[in-house]
Amino acid sequence: MLDIDFIRDSLLGKTFISAIYHFDEIDSTNNYAKKLKDEDNVLVLAEYQSGGKGRFDRKWDSEKGMNLTFTIKKKFNINANQNSYINFYFSYFLYEAIWTFLEENAKNISTDLLKIKWPNDILFDSKKISGILIESVLNKNDYMIGIGLNVNQKKFNDKFIAASLINYTNDKVDLNALLIKIINVLDKNLHLLDEAKFDKIYELWKKSTDMIGKNAEFVIDLEI
Ligand code: BTN
């Protein structure tokens, strides 16, 4: 169970997050965020999603209370043809927060095994630990950035090649501290989401992917 009072005390007034909604159970945090018409800089958190969504109409399954499933709703004044930088931004800085967490907490592993897989999956040793679903209401520049991060769940359906952070640490991971770390990393770097700095975001993202040295045809297939 998340400690919502602690999360509010740690984030409100201290980061860009100005409102937090927390649900024991909800269909999807992205769906809820989309319905918040006039609110910006919102964080929607769920212990369990009955209809968690992945990219390409896939499902995102996550055991209750074990992982992080949340959506950030935020306005970005970005041209529609530049919105892939929102993807590069969130996938890179989520990657960076996880990388730091592993450096601080993981035992006998190399953080070199952490990679971003095009466009925004985060894999450790080729196993998926996190996925991002970005949806938008373009005429309003409203973006719903939905993040699923496997943290304390130990077993996954065999058809998925997935893992959790706990597979690489000795102890159960504190979900509150990890969430606060992720939001702080996103908050600290938000100034990079500016046209003049897009190249920097792209370079950071590219350096962290598993694409280097491979040929790939990049098709912009985000759900944005
Ligand atoms: C993917 O890998 O296909 C993207 C998965 C995104 C899952 C997150 S969990 C929080 C948010 N709410 C959803 O319904 N989906 C995203």
Side-chain angles (χ1 to χ4, degrees):
M1 208 42 189
L2 293 166
D3 181 343
I4 195 65
D5 291 333
F6 177 64
I7 292 171
R8 287 207 165 97
D9 283 352
S10 305
L11 299 180
L12 298 178
K14 296 175 182 150
T15 66
F16 68 96
I17 297 295
S18 61
I20 300 178
Y21 295 90
H22 173 237
F23 297 93
D24 196 43
E25 179 171 339
I26 194 171
D27 63 338
S28 153
T29 54
N30 268 37
N31 290 352
Y32 186 85
K34 222 182 288 177
K35 287 184 207 140
L36 296 169
K37 291 275 176 272
D38 298 316
E39 291 184 64
D40 191 21
N41 296 312
V42 179
L43 176 63
V44 183
L45 300 162
E47 302 291 333
Y48 178 71
Q49 297 182 114
S50 52
K53 305 186 293 182
R55 294 170 54 238
F56 307 119
D57 289 330
R58 290 188 290 239
K59 280 181 71 189
W60 182 263
D61 288 325
S62 175
E63 272 178 28
K64 184 167 186 175
M66 290 295 194
N67 302 313
L68 289 175
T69 49
F70 62 96
T71 298
I72 293 165
K73 176 174 187 274
K74 183 152 181 52
K75 271 192 200 307
F76 291 106
N77 292 320
I78 270 180
N79 292 333
N81 63 358
Q82 292 178 317
N83 61 21
S84 50
Y85 289 96
I86 295 176
N87 170 62
F88 297 140
Y89 179 83
F90 280 92
S91 43
Y92 175 73
F93 285 106
L94 176 62
Y95 161 92
E96 190 184 282
I98 296 171
W99 187 91
T100 314
F101 169 84
L102 288 173
E103 282 283 312
E104 289 165 359
N105 296 281
K107 310 280 183 264
N108 304 321
I109 58 136
S110 165
T111 43
D112 291 350
L113 294 173
L114 190 71
K115 298 278 179 215
I116 300 173
K117 179 166 177 281
W118 166 263
N120 55 23
D121 286 348
I122 299 182
L123 311 187
F124 188 85
D125 200 11
S126 305
K127 299 184 190 83
K128 181 156 169 173
I129 56 173
S130 180
I132 304 181
L133 173 66
I134 304 177
E135 299 180 281
S136 69
V137 182
L138 279 182
N139 56 358
K140 285 189 154 178
N141 289 327
D142 276 342
Y143 291 85
M144 272 56 63
I145 299 104
I147 296 178
L149 172 56
N150 300 330
V151 185
N152 286 319
Q153 179 172 339
K154 288 195 173 151
K155 287 213 162 33
F156 294 90
N157 186 320
D158 285 344
K159 70 178 190 225
F160 302 119
I161 304 170
S164 278
L165 295 178
I166 196 170
N167 297 126
Y168 312 108
T169 59
N170 286 341
D171 306 316
K172 195 167 172 220
V173 178
D174 179 344
L175 291 173
N176 305 299
L178 182 60
L179 173 72
I180 290 162
K181 179 194 268 294
I182 293 169
I183 301 293
N184 273 301
V185 171
L186 293 170
D187 181 73
K188 202 174 73 190
N189 293 288
L190 264 182
H191 62 98
L192 291 176
L193 261 177
D194 175 291
E195 201 170 340
K197 296 176 190 156
F198 282 165
D199 288 353
K200 162 110 180 140
I201 297 181
Y202 177 66
E203 284 309 312
L204 288 168
W205 175 88
K206 201 170 67 174
K207 231 173 35 165
S208 316
T209 62
D210 60 354
M211 305 302 295
I212 311 291
K214 295 183 191 164
N215 290 322
E217 191 181 334
F218 278 7
V219 179
I220 301 296
D221 62 356
L222 304 173
E223 303 260 316
I224 291 184

